[in-house]
Amino acid sequence: MAEALSPARQGHLAMLAFSALIAGSFSLGGQIANEISPAALNAVRFAIAAAVIAGVIAARGGGFRAVAVAPWRYFILGGLFAVYFVTMFEGLKTAPPVSAAAVFTLTPVMAAGFGWLMLRQATTPRMGVALAVGAAGALWVIFRADLSALLAFEIGRGEWIFFWGCICHAAYTPAVRLLNRGEPVLSFTFGTLLACALVLLVWGWRDLAETDWAGLRPLVWITLVYVAVIASSTTVFLVQFATLRLPASKVMAYTYLTPSWVILWEMALGQPVPGVLILAGVGLTVLALAMLLKDEGAG
């Protein structure tokens, strides 16, 4: 079936799956963020994720040689990813999952900017309006639908920390296309994950040594496996697959669906549903995605 789809539609399907899978990181991460160091958790998750992709490459007959070509590229991408994920879990210590997901939806605006700086990818007027609508919805959720907090620009500590990680994620998207030299997506994904794991192992070695791994409750291990296999190996592959087929701003546009998916995850995990005013902000992010897809002609 995939052969019948255009490259652009393949990219859209990849990012639809990405948005659903990445949402689980926010809901699960929010429940265990205060039980393990973000650096330790992410060092282990990316080591596992790299091992999973390495196993897939080996099963397909190899492809590791491509990673040895200009390995500095992977450390740039892996470093950006390391900052993003550590700040995500650090931010979830105080930020509600839906609010953190709303911060994540600011990345399309920043990705459009980085896409122009790195690749000279232009933003159409419709895309500009859609990005503005999505950003407005995200800000409404981030400020908990509190107009006075919005006017005073009172941002929670967790949201502010995660925002800096989202800047790195936004830069990562066009950087993939800029740095890719035609390597197979799996090989490029493996190089990125391996470099990210090495960066985090150096960065978080003290936290790794001090963590009481045997004393962690089962949910922490469930979250670790999920973020390693699903929210790392799979989603990094999906983003890189889509980035080679869509403009950076369109790839990141699917982050607009993340708050909606997070709400479903929260409901499934027995958490309360956000208020109507906050849901209105989430609705704006979905509207922004619809506008972007209409602009693409692949709705």
Side-chain angles (χ1 to χ4, degrees):
M1 178 179 177
E3 290 75 14
L5 296 174
S6 68
R9 287 187 178 273
Q10 292 177 31
H12 284 300
L13 285 175
M15 290 310 298
L16 181 63
F18 164 86
S19 64
L21 297 175
I22 204 70
S25 297
F26 290 95
S27 293
L28 291 171
Q31 296 201 31
I32 60 93
N34 289 296
E35 300 180 40
I36 183 173
S37 159
L41 172 70
N42 284 287
V44 174
R45 80 180 279 191
F46 278 102
I48 295 173
V52 169
I53 295 297
V56 174
I57 293 174
R60 290 168 61 93
F64 295 103
R65 288 186 178 180
V67 181
V69 178
W72 58 267
R73 297 174 297 155
Y74 301 109
F75 283 97
I76 291 176
L77 296 173
L80 291 171
F81 242 32
V83 174
Y84 166 76
F85 280 107
V86 169
T87 58
M88 172 185 172
F89 280 88
E90 188 66 38
L92 283 169
K93 289 181 178 181
T94 55
V98 175
S99 183
V103 177
F104 187 46
T105 64
L106 294 175
T107 54
V109 177
M110 296 184 287
F114 282 117
W116 184 84
L117 286 172
M118 296 182 188
L119 305 171
R120 290 297 186 265
Q121 292 177 339
T123 299
T124 66
R126 181 188 292 273
M127 283 177 63
V129 173
L131 292 172
V133 169
L139 289 172
W140 190 243
V141 177
I142 292 167
F143 289 101
R144 318 286 204 279
D146 185 342
L147 186 59
S148 61
L150 175 61
L151 293 175
F153 212 69
E154 297 174 358
I155 302 176
R157 181 177 182 273
E159 288 89 343
W160 186 246
I161 290 172
F162 185 42
F163 173 73
W164 293 102
C166 289
I167 293 176
C168 291
H169 198 295
Y172 168 86
T173 307
V176 168
R177 181 172 289 194
L178 181 67
L179 297 176
N180 184 272
R181 298 183 179 179
E183 295 91 348
V185 177
L186 271 175
S187 299
F188 204 67
T189 300
F190 171 69
T192 302
L193 291 172
L194 180 60
C196 187
L198 292 173
V199 168
L200 286 166
L201 286 170
V202 173
W203 183 356
W205 69 269
R206 188 183 300 275
D207 291 333
L208 282 165
E210 295 176 352
T211 298
D212 179 15
W213 297 99
L216 296 175
R217 64 179 175 129
L219 183 60
V220 178
W221 288 104
I222 291 171
T223 301
L224 177 57
V225 172
Y226 180 87
V227 297
V229 178
I230 304 300
S232 294
S233 304
T234 305
T235 59
V236 170
F237 173 84
L238 290 172
V239 169
Q240 294 190 341
F241 179 88
T243 296
L244 297 175
R245 290 161 175 78
L246 298 170
S249 58
K250 295 297 181 70
V251 171
M252 297 314 299
Y254 276 88
T255 63
Y256 287 140
L257 281 183
T258 305
S260 300
W261 286 118
V262 169
I263 289 172
L264 294 178
W265 272 91
E266 291 288 281
M267 292 171 61
L269 293 171
Q271 301 299 313
V273 179
V276 175
L277 289 178
I278 290 180
L279 290 177
V282 173
L284 283 178
T285 64
V286 176
L287 174 61
L289 172 64
M291 293 174 67
L292 285 170
L293 292 186
K294 183 178 181 181
D295 184 52
E296 177 68 28

